[in-house]
Amino acid sequence: MPIAPGSRFGPYEVVSPLGAGGMGEVYRARDTRLGRTVAIKILPETLARDSGLRERFDREARTIAKLDHPHICPLYDVGIDGETAFLVMQCLEGETLANRLKAGPLPLNRALEYGIEIADALDQAHRLGIVHRDLKPSNIFLTKTGAMLLDFGLAKPRPNIVPDEPSILTRTTDDLTARGTILGTLPYMAPEQLEGREADARADIFSFGAVLYEMLTGRKAFEGASPASLIAAIIQSEPRPISSLQAQVPALVEHIVTRCLAKSRDDRWQTAGDLMHELKWAAHGATESLQSATATGVASKVAFWRRVAVAGGLVAVSSIVLATYLAMKSPPQVGDQMIRQVPIRVSISPSENTQLSSVQLALSPDGMNVAYIGLAGQQRQVWIYSLSGGESRILAEADDATFPFWSPDSRHVGFFTSRGLVRLPAAGGPIQNLAPASMDSSGTWSEEGVLLFAGRDKPGIYRTTAGGGSPMPVTTLDASREEILHLHPRFLPGGRKFLYLAQSRTPDHTGIYVRSLDVDDRKFLIQTTTHAEYSPPGLLLFVRESVLMAQRFDLSRLGVEGEPMPIAPDVNANVDNGGAGFSVGRDGSLVYHAGQIPAALKWLDRHGAVTSTLALHAVFREVELSPDWTKVLVRIRPKESTLRGDIWTIDLSRAISSRVTVDAGSLNARWAADGKSVFFDSSRPGQTPGIYRKRSDGTGSAELVWKTEGRLADVSRNGCVLIEVERACTVIEPGPQPASTRHIPDLGDRLATGRSLMPAIPTSSSSCGRFSDDSRLIAYTLDVSGRPEVYVVPFPEGAPRIQISRDGGREPRWRKDGRELFYLSPDGTMMAATLSRGPTLQASSPIELFHGGALTSGPYPTYSVSSDGQRFLMIDPVGDPHADRLTVITHWIETLKQLTVH
């Protein structure tokens, strides 16, 4: 949870956030004793319980404390406040080198000046036995007094310089995210780091050379269209000569950089001190004769390296073409040297105030970019993360999007909006409508320009073209197998056959099938509840019981072989829509989303101060106080593969919990007026979709109240049900239960079992509508101006509506007397507006109460209000809120040497 301004850690008072990284959050703070501004780096309390992370944090403190250098950010203080550890450092003014390089290369004199300062700082660190291991432009800060070296979070004591001995790579599932992977930033890593060997001080010198090259040219020393080709370039190829990019750079400077970037660490500068002196010599100049003599010698050496660069480039091209094949069969060779394809692990965190939609992600076929859906409040946006650039950006015109997928050339992204199936250039450009489709659809794109898609609104899979056109059906449901839906098509290589998920009322027939595009020759492959993808050179990936599995797959005969092997645990999946949080590229890269942020239920007052915490940690998806405010209804995501979870109730006075549903596939749940039962919606395959009611203590069976594909928004005190269908809410008054579930009315019917009480209200999201306690008003959200706003309408008239929020809002909640309405602003701030009920309904201007917390940017209800409006029961994370991230692994197949792929 972000730390609020004014919070104290010892004598340090937090002023504002500065940034966050894998090891903590950094804030601008004020030293109340000395009256100076400092930067405070905080390890959250919950992470402090992890002995490994705490040890790493302590190591960073001890490391920095040893360093006293004008170009290393100084450490002022170390402390512990309760269970929270913190470091206090100088607060720097300026910008990172990475930000400066966005404007292009630096002037030669300035690049050399910064290079000398950084080399001098490294020299002192190395003399003290400290290797940085993550030197890159974003860890260098430019100030008025020069360059400052930052972030020794990956630093470690320097090993002795010994002959190369490759480290042993273990192959267990856990090792995919621990041992056998590399720490660092790919474009700046030395070859020995990529090969899994121990990094000494000379690895920092290689990274320094890559940084200096970028300062001089404005381009990275090593580039590639994918992580695989980038690794090949670093290990096998030479960078483009600096003089071909910047003619004014002297040959001597190019020689210095070239030697830094030598493949063998024995051929590099052996100490940062020697490197610093060479840079000083280049900066200050020498006698003309010496300079001329040196230039002559260096020119011949540069010419030699240029010839090597050309040859190395040819080797790199071959490696790119055969990267995946070689990764499975044998390591590639450069001369007589064997190079192992070591898995490289990269974590992608969502941007600030954004959460991941964990089953909606796609790795581009070339492995260069990841498209994923980020949730900012109720707004879905397509984000593109560049693995070569290390940055995320929003894809313009892709608001309110779902399930992105890539074109075969990795240049376009397809996705689904309220307009249907659309496509957009990944680099930006005009959006193109292709075909009508529901927003919960998913798709695939062949090299021949055929697009397949499927959603829950239609039973089969449909096809269109990359240019658009009327969708044509491709598959039909098999009644003999009691199939309900076909979902998540995925083309196989060649584009004439594809995989798809069939959901059936019988579990034995729910799984992955393969068939031809034009011939119904379907064949059952594996039993699973979520989608599958093909990975070269012959593997089928799918999720089973939350574990990402890989099984041999023969493309020629379209059959699986052997037993599936585990790849990664706790991968998120959704058995209801059939999606799973993973994707693979043709280059041997894998991206997946695993785990969820555990949370606690906390009582906050109107100032945001925590007054008490319930002793229960889980992955909460909802929180609803009972009508008498003595119990709370929650939805908890279990470990099994579902994102929806089951409903529980908790007695607040006794802290006793009761499970209401078991694998119900519920999305929303609300209390009945008597507080003794709960309503919930369910659309699990094999079950009649609709609104159900069950006792809150979990006893008895669930009764079907109303058959509908819609979602439950709220239940009034007089028993009316507010249901959301296709972004419109309708109030239904259920009548007596029918004797048989064979004829239960849909929303449009007008039978004795129920009736509609008001016209449909257009809305922006499910679970948005809320009845006031007297059932005379309904608060809801609606997007009419580009962002959701909170509105109120009288019930049952449905008009006129009045707008409550002014700058965006969601999750409206009523005070019991209906005279105050609360909601969350787009950034998670709790807002309050007063309402007066006279001849006309009027509302005051909203006021800010407090920031709601780290989980308030998600799609689920995150708080409930006490009857007097003085306290708020909120879902608050007990883990690192930045832990919600994607994991990308190159050469992941290296972890599966037990599989003999033919």
Side-chain angles (χ1 to χ4, degrees), residues 28 40 80 125 169 193 244 250 272 286 310 336 485 510 572 652 742 753 756 758 773 785 817 839:
R28 184 186 302 272
I40 183 169
I80 299 178
L169 293 183
Q193 289 177 282
S244 68
V310 173
D336 296 327
L485 290 169
T510 295
N572 288 315
L652 294 175
R742 293 181 181 176
T753 51
S756 176
M758 68 179 297
D773 195 69
S785 60
D817 61 9

Side-chain angles (χ1 to χ4, degrees), residues 9 40-45 48 54 57-58 78-87:
F9 293 89
I40 183 169
K41 185 172 185 178
I42 295 170
L43 181 68
E45 174 182 344
R54 180 59 180 270
F57 189 81
D58 291 344
V78 177
I80 299 178
D81 192 314
E83 293 296 323
T84 302
F86 60 90
L87 301 176

Side-chain angles (χ1 to χ4, degrees), residues 476-484 486 504 506 509 522:
T476 57
L477 301 182
D478 187 341
S480 66
R481 295 175 177 267
E482 297 186 88
E483 290 181 346
I484 304 169
H486 291 167
S504 170
T506 57
H509 294 146
R522 71 186 74 182

Side-chain angles (χ1 to χ4, degrees), residues 768-790:
C768 63
R770 293 291 174 143
F771 286 107
S772 60
D773 195 69
D774 62 4
S775 304
R776 291 174 54 195
L777 298 172
I778 297 177
Y780 64 101
T781 61
L782 176 63
D783 185 352
V784 295
S785 60
R787 65 186 174 200
E789 300 282 3
V790 176

Side-chain angles (χ1 to χ4, degrees), residues 8 86 100 212 308 442 623 688 713:
R8 295 282 290 267
F86 60 90
R100 165 59 184 84
L212 186 55
V308 173
S442 60
V623 54
T688 302

